[in-house]
């Protein structure tokens, strides 16, 4: 983003206007949470159903079952045939899909606003009436195994990241890949999928987010009609997962693969998640990530490692996403410049971090980052589908609508002292995993 902004935009960024969209929330008697985000600029609507369950909620030995069930949810109910859901949306000129993460599974449709009622009726139907035959289960198991083959087993970067996660978490279920370990995926059964479905797919474990050209009262009426009759579950297990013990020593791994075209070094640190009602530490970490590696030219790592007389890197990054149920990670990455070894790149990164912790936060850089974050927030409001995703993900991990609306202000309220305190707490090598991805084995 340029350093100088048009005057009108600069004035806009100095203020803190309310969200451009009107956001309404309510709950049905059966526990279904509903969020309506009004955006009347076009007769289009995005409908999302989020379930508060993901791969981290799976039983031991059944890794991948949450993602497996996501696939099976498109395979028919007692009143619809396999593929009918997607075919109906397509025939209406809309689009739909689904995704699974560690903490949630979400299903979405984007259609003309006057088709929302039909979408909600179909979502309510498959929330409780999924009907699976053994041949369908066997076929979809092959589909997810092929997906793993294409996206993970044939991709050294993806395999490397799996190993990094497994090394970072000793006890937390975040150590398992969302798609699952191949040996356990191969053994997933119809009964496994249905058990996960019956355990977690219920109105009182779901969030309906509707964004677009809709009125809250109309959405409420549709939701009452289609979801209201569904019975809540009285057997939902508490979301009390195994917690990570204190990490007392740095962990390291080196991953070799002949297919690697560009070696790089990455490091992840255990980091706290966003918490309902108290997002200040997470906001400081988000600002820290933006300062260190959020911009390819102006961030601290970029300026120190990619530019100057003797650059040591061609790419640097830092990242943090605290929208999770349990502690997350803060990540750094460096792609070394030509002729620079991974050890030299790692040493250069560590020097930049040490200097940052010693010298503190540059006030001008902090102001620039806040301006960028404020601009990004304003631009994001132009995408009702993106807002639906933001609200859904937050509510699925235990945050509230108010937390989502407070997040931009939390970022703006971060001080240099808070950023430095967060950096000193999190950037501790004793709670990190450093990984090297390279083509052939080398001697450090």
């Amino acid at each position: 983003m340029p350093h100088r902004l048009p005057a009108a935009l600069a004035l806009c960024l100095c203020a803190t206007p309310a969200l451009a969209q009107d956001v309404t929330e309510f709950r049905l008697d059966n526990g279904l949470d509903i969020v309506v985000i009004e955006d009347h600029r076009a007769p289009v609507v995005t409908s999302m159903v989020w379930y508060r369950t993901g791969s981290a909620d799976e039983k031991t030995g059944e890794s991948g079952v949450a993602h497996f069930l996501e696939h099976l949810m498109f395979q028919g109910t007692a009143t619809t045939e396999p593929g009918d859901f997607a075919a109906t949306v397509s025939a209406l000129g809309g689009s739909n899909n689904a995704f699974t993460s560690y903490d949630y599974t979400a299903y979405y449709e984007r259609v003309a606003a006057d088709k929302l009622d039909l979408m909600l009726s179909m979502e309510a139907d498959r929330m409780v009436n999924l009907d699976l035959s053994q041949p369908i289960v066997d076929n979809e198991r092959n589909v997810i195994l092929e997906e793993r083959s294409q996206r993970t087993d044939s991709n050294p970067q993806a395999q490397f990241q799996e190993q990094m996660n497994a090394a970072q978490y000793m006890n937390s279920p975040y150590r398992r890949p969302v798609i699952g370990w191949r040996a356990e995926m191969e053994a997933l059964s119809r009964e496994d999928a249905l058990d996960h479905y019956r355990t977690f797919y219920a109105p009182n474990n779901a969030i309906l987010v509707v964004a677009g050209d809709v009125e809250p009262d109309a959405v409420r009426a549709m939701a009452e009609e289609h979801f209201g009759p569904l019975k809540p579950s009285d057997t939902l297990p508490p979301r009390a997962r195994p917690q990570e013990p204190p990490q007392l020593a740095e962990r390291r791994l080196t991953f070799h693969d002949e297919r690697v075209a560009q070696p790089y070094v990455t490091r992840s640190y255990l980091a706290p998640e966003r918490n309902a009602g108290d997002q200040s530490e997470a906001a400081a970490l988000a600002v820290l990530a933006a300062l260190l590696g959020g911009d390819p030219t102006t961030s601290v790592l970029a300026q120190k490692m990619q530019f100057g007389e003797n650059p040591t890197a061609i790419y640097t990054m830092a990242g943090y996403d605290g929208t999770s149920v349990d502690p997350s990670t803060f990540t750094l990455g460096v792609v070394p410049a030509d002729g620079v070894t991974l050890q030299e790149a790692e040493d250069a990164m560590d020097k930049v971090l040490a200097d940052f912790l010693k010298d503190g936060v540059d006030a001008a850089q902090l102001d620039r980052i806040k301006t960028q974050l404020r601009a990004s927030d304003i631009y994001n409001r132009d995408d009702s589908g993106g807002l639906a995703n933001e609200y859904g993900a937050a509510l699925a991990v235990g945050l509230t609508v108010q937390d989502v609306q407070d997040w931009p202000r939390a970022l703006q309220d971060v001080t240099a002292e808070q950023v430095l305190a967060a950096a000193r707490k999190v950037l501790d090598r004793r709670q990190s995993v450093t990984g090297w991805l390279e083509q052939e084995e080398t001697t450090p």
Side-chain angles (χ1 to χ4, degrees), residues 40-110:
H40 300 289
R41 294 173 299 173
V44 177
V45 65
T46 296
S47 172
M48 306 189 76
V49 174
W50 298 72
Y51 293 94
R52 296 180 180 92
T53 180
S55 64
D57 300 294
E58 297 164 340
K59 292 180 180 178
T60 301
E62 295 181 5
S63 65
V65 72
H67 174 251
F68 186 31
L69 178 57
E70 175 211 312
H71 278 246
L72 294 170
M73 284 286 284
F74 291 89
Q75 298 307 312
T77 67
T79 58
T80 62
E81 295 296 320
D84 277 1
F85 197 111
T88 299
V89 175
S90 179
L92 296 173
S95 59
N96 74 303
N97 213 324
F99 52 88
T100 305
S101 185
Y102 290 109
D103 297 311
Y104 45 75
T105 309
Y107 303 83
Y108 66 90
E109 303 84 42
R110 180 176 170 83

Side-chain angles (χ1 to χ4, degrees), residues 357-374:
L357 293 173
K358 179 184 68 175
D359 299 335
V361 179
D362 180 85
Q365 283 187 318
L366 181 58
D367 288 343
R368 174 178 55 80
I369 291 300
K370 287 187 177 183
T371 299
Q372 290 180 343
L373 291 171
R374 184 65 184 141

